[in-house]
Amino acid sequence: MKIAIVTTGDEIMSGNVVDTNSAWIADKCWMLGHEVVWHGGVGDYKEGIGDACVLASERAEIVFVSGGLGATLDDITLESAAAAFGKKMIGGKPLENKVGTAPGVQVKLGKAVFFFLPGVPRELYQIFEDSILPLLKEMAGGGIYRQKFLRCFGLPEASLDERLKGLDFGGVRVSFRVTYPEVKIKLVARKEKTVTGDKWLVISEAEKKIRERIGDYVFGVDDETMEAAAGNLLKKKKMTIAVAESCTGGYISNLITNVAGSSEWFERGVISYSNKSKMEILGVKAETIKKYGAVSEECTREMAEGVLKISGAGIGLSVTGVAGPSGGTEGKPVGTVHIALATHDETRHISCCHPRPREQFKMLTAYEALDMVRRL
Amino acid sequence: MKIAIVTTGDEIMSGNVVDTNSAWIADKCWMLGHEVVWHGGVGDYKEGIGDACVLASERAEIVFVSGGLGATLDDITLESAAAAFGKKMIGGKPLENKVGTAPGVQVKLGKAVFFFLPGVPRELYQIFEDSILPLLKEMAGGGIYRQKFLRCFGLPEASLDERLKGLDFGGVRVSFRVTYPEVKIKLVARKEKTVTGDKWLVISEAEKKIRERIGDYVFGVDDETMEAAAGNLLKKKKMTIAVAESCTGGYISNLITNVAGSSEWFERGVISYSNKSKMEILGVKAETIKKYGAVSEECTREMAEGVLKISGAGIGLSVTGVAGPSGGTEGKPVGTVHIALATHDETRHISCCHPRPREQFKMLTAYEALDMVRRL
């Protein structure tokens, strides 16, 4: 069905708050085969709200209005909408609000069914999921969609696109979504009944074809982060890891410890920011730093082997580099980074250069380091 | 002047992408005394775009349209708008795009001045700032606003509100914005010419009154983060810090090293996740862990004193706690945290309990730890 969304609120119109409710609602509707055809936004004034509601009702069969349902003076959405449709007040069906005070309201106005919802996201989500989603599912008439994300790292969008060229996905819609530094491949399929009862066959078929082309650049699916992907493998192999970070300053350890249960496989981390700490804790030789510098393959290798040795973990991971904005030299420009991975058998090393803003540099380097762990 | 914004794009209407451009534009307009009165959003189809442009031109004097300016097939914004206003094509003034391919366009359609802009945020920002802001400033006619944020930590919004009760801010608009775990106090003042030439007198007067009431709960202004506030003080006092983290897993060190130039005052970090690492690197006594546990005042104090000793820094900071979701006990529930700060003179300690999701727990704990540094 055709859907319109109306957002009300001075805080949205003045740019004080970014409207995330509309995208959230649109995503839910789209997944059920409904189409959002119109979006209107107005401040907290009667004529504006009325105007937006009337326009929406002329363009869609279902209208969601968010904001202005509370008890304060500027909560005038219901009376404004009523006035615009020539009514004294809205006499609709209340929709229970379990996490806030103002209930939602469902009512027919003009040719459209209106759902009035609070502007506070968690209240809107709860009412939508409990009271509205079931209705939308019924109205969808079987045209339900399902999606899956394949999360990739190490190839840019253009290269992934190139690799997938010419593939027939059998009705599955394939698109890319870049969430730096990842590229997510989004697969969307319509629900279809088959004789075998396997309703989502098409999505797994398309996934298989994609994986054949891009192989292990896919590190996870849906909510699986890079740190969880690496962690799950370590857990499975019953291995532990210790990390020595310089330029990433704790970012890698922070990602790892965001994973619940990471204490099973994360032994310790050392943020050896100063040369002194590299030598004292990790046993990097003064001579190495003097000869090659702290940002060098030699130093990184000693850091990885050092943290492996002192921790008794199965893997030692290390990074050192020039995060910038200053500190770069001709031979080692801002963005230079060395990563090493030591096990009891071998020490691997890679180096790269990412001249990017400080936080992006840290994030990208962390992904590369964790990807080395995953590939190992 | 009255302003309308039209957002085009299937990716926005389907909820694939959150529209942040509108809030960005609205904020810029609002700061110059213009008012955004209308927002319309439509997908990439001709009739929809035309409809939205006409509606916008009837409601505002200036209309910004974003998206659909490129060279691909679904970039049909200009032709759709032209058709809606009975024209064959848009013959407007091009606005230089320095970071992308498609230029913006300025043109009068109906009663309004239209600015067509690319949907890619950084391209939109550049064109807006270079070509449109100067025009908006002229049109503002002196009604320019200025804002300042006072960033607070340690008091909830309600308490801050209570403390500010009864104050006369002399025409400055004061509001709160919660960005967990901070509360920002936003001060907005209109530009006013005074005999002394001090045009923004009112904002500094209001700031002074606010600071008298809430004192050192204000840790920074505008873009100054908690880690920068603590870091600036350390830099000023020429002191260095070393950090020993358990439950925050590198989050504190990561925040600190996000500050450019932090290598001047951040000596090292130790993420002593395992008990073994607490004893081996920091010299925490086995007896202490056995008797009081790793999450205890005693252990935290030894960690802070240990990292102070091995690093030679001026301050040793440590945290240990139960991040959850599992690992809690009756005496030490999930969310329990101990923080210690050691100098060569004394060791301070605080403990608290924040039963929150893992990442929020880490963030809040990091703020509390850095706030201890700042207050010291």
Side-chain angles (χ1 to χ4, degrees), chain A residues 244-248 252 300 303 317-321 337-340 365 369:
Chain A
E245 306 183 53
S246 184
C247 58
T248 44
I252 298 176
T300 324
M303 285 169 67
L317 177 66
S318 73
V319 291
T320 177
V337 66
H338 290 270
I339 309 176
T365 305

Side-chain angles (χ1 to χ4, degrees), chain A residues 16 51 59 177 267 274, chain B residues 16 41 51 59 177 267 274:
Chain A
N16 230 334
D51 180 29
R59 284 159 179 78
R177 201 189 276 196
E267 207 279 332
S274 66
Chain B
N16 231 334
D51 180 31
R59 283 160 181 76
R177 201 188 278 196
E267 206 280 333
S274 65

Side-chain angles (χ1 to χ4, degrees), chain B residues 12-186:
Chain B
I12 304 248
M13 296 308 279
S14 66
N16 231 334
V17 173
V18 171
D19 165 35
T20 54
N21 286 339
S22 299
W24 189 89
I25 292 174
D27 194 49
K28 296 281 172 193
C29 293
W30 195 86
M31 292 300 293
L32 291 169
H34 299 293
E35 190 193 1
V36 177
V37 295
W38 175 255
H39 177 223
V42 280
D44 296 313
Y45 67 105
K46 200 171 166 181
E47 295 72 24
I49 295 172
D51 180 31
C53 288
V54 171
L55 288 174
S57 75
E58 292 164 357
R59 283 160 181 76
E61 296 151 281
I62 298 172
V63 180
F64 294 102
V65 185
S66 69
L69 284 196
T72 60
L73 269 183
D74 54 354
D75 291 324
I76 52 165
T77 301
L78 289 175
E79 61 175 272
S80 308
F85 286 93
K87 293 177 191 288
K88 274 211 170 156
M89 57 176 290
I90 299 279
K93 179 185 162 194
L95 308 169
E96 191 190 2
N97 183 344
K98 289 177 185 158
V99 288
T101 49
V105 176
Q106 174 184 346
V107 64
K108 187 149 188 182
L109 292 174
K111 287 184 196 161
V113 176
F114 275 71
F115 292 96
F116 291 93
L117 297 165
V120 180
R122 60 189 200 103
E123 299 183 21
L124 182 141
Y125 299 165
Q126 180 264 314
I127 298 177
F128 195 97
E129 283 178 341
D130 287 358
S131 304
I132 302 173
L133 263 191
L135 293 174
L136 289 182
K137 273 181 192 162
E138 267 178 41
M139 292 189 279
I144 297 177
Y145 290 77
R146 182 166 169 180
Q147 66 184 14
K148 185 168 191 172
F149 287 99
L150 301 180
R151 299 172 70 156
C152 308
F153 177 72
L155 278 184
E157 186 183 358
S159 311
L160 289 170
D161 193 30
E162 185 65 34
R163 289 199 182 209
L164 300 188
K165 265 215 176 109
L167 280 184
D168 172 14
F169 299 118
V172 176
R173 201 165 109 169
V174 175
S175 61
F176 297 99
R177 201 188 278 196
V178 181
T179 10
Y180 186 83
E182 296 178 25
V183 180
K184 291 176 179 157
I185 303 178
K186 183 176 180 178

Side-chain angles (χ1 to χ4, degrees), chain A residues 240-244 265-270 281-282 303-317 342 344, chain B residues 271 274 276-277 280-281:
Chain A
T240 56
I241 191 169
V243 179
W265 45 273
F266 179 64
E267 207 279 332
R268 76 182 67 179
V270 173
I281 306 186
L282 303 172
M303 285 169 67
E305 288 160 11
V307 82
L308 181 76
K309 193 175 155 195
I310 63 165
S311 66
I315 296 175
L317 177 66
H344 296 288
Chain B
I271 301 149
S274 65
K276 189 165 158 274
S277 64
E280 286 177 3
I281 307 186

Side-chain angles (χ1 to χ4, degrees), chain A residues 12-20 23 26-27 30 36-43 45 48 51-52 55 59 173 175 177 186 245 248-251 253-255 257-263 266-274 276-277 280-281 310-312 324-325 358-359 362, chain B residues 12-20 23 26-27 30 36-43 45 48 51-52 55 59 173 175 177 186 245 248-251 253-255 257-263 266-274 276-277 280-281 310-312 324-325 358-359 362:
Chain A
I12 305 248
M13 295 308 279
S14 66
N16 230 334
V17 173
V18 171
D19 166 33
T20 54
D27 194 49
W30 195 86
V36 177
V37 295
W38 175 255
H39 177 223
V42 281
Y45 66 106
D51 180 29
L55 288 174
R59 284 159 179 78
R173 201 165 111 170
S175 60
R177 201 189 276 196
K186 183 176 178 177
E245 306 183 53
T248 44
Y251 191 89
S253 304
N254 181 45
L255 280 185
T257 57
N258 280 345
V259 182
S262 50
S263 57
F266 179 64
E267 207 279 332
R268 76 182 67 179
V270 173
I271 301 149
S272 50
Y273 229 50
S274 66
K276 190 165 157 275
S277 63
E280 287 177 2
I281 306 186
I310 63 165
S311 66
R358 201 170 172 93
E359 291 180 37
K362 287 167 86 171
Chain B
I12 304 248
M13 296 308 279
S14 66
N16 231 334
V17 173
V18 171
D19 165 35
T20 54
D27 194 49
W30 195 86
V36 177
V37 295
W38 175 255
H39 177 223
V42 280
Y45 67 105
D51 180 31
L55 288 174
R59 283 160 181 76
R173 201 165 109 169
S175 61
R177 201 188 278 196
K186 183 176 180 178
E245 306 182 54
T248 43
Y251 191 90
S253 304
N254 180 45
L255 280 185
T257 57
N258 279 345
V259 182
S262 50
S263 57
F266 180 64
E267 206 280 333
R268 75 181 68 176
V270 173
I271 301 149
S272 50
Y273 228 50
S274 65
K276 189 165 158 274
S277 64
E280 286 177 3
I281 307 186
I310 62 166
S311 66
R358 200 170 173 95
E359 292 180 36
K362 287 167 86 171

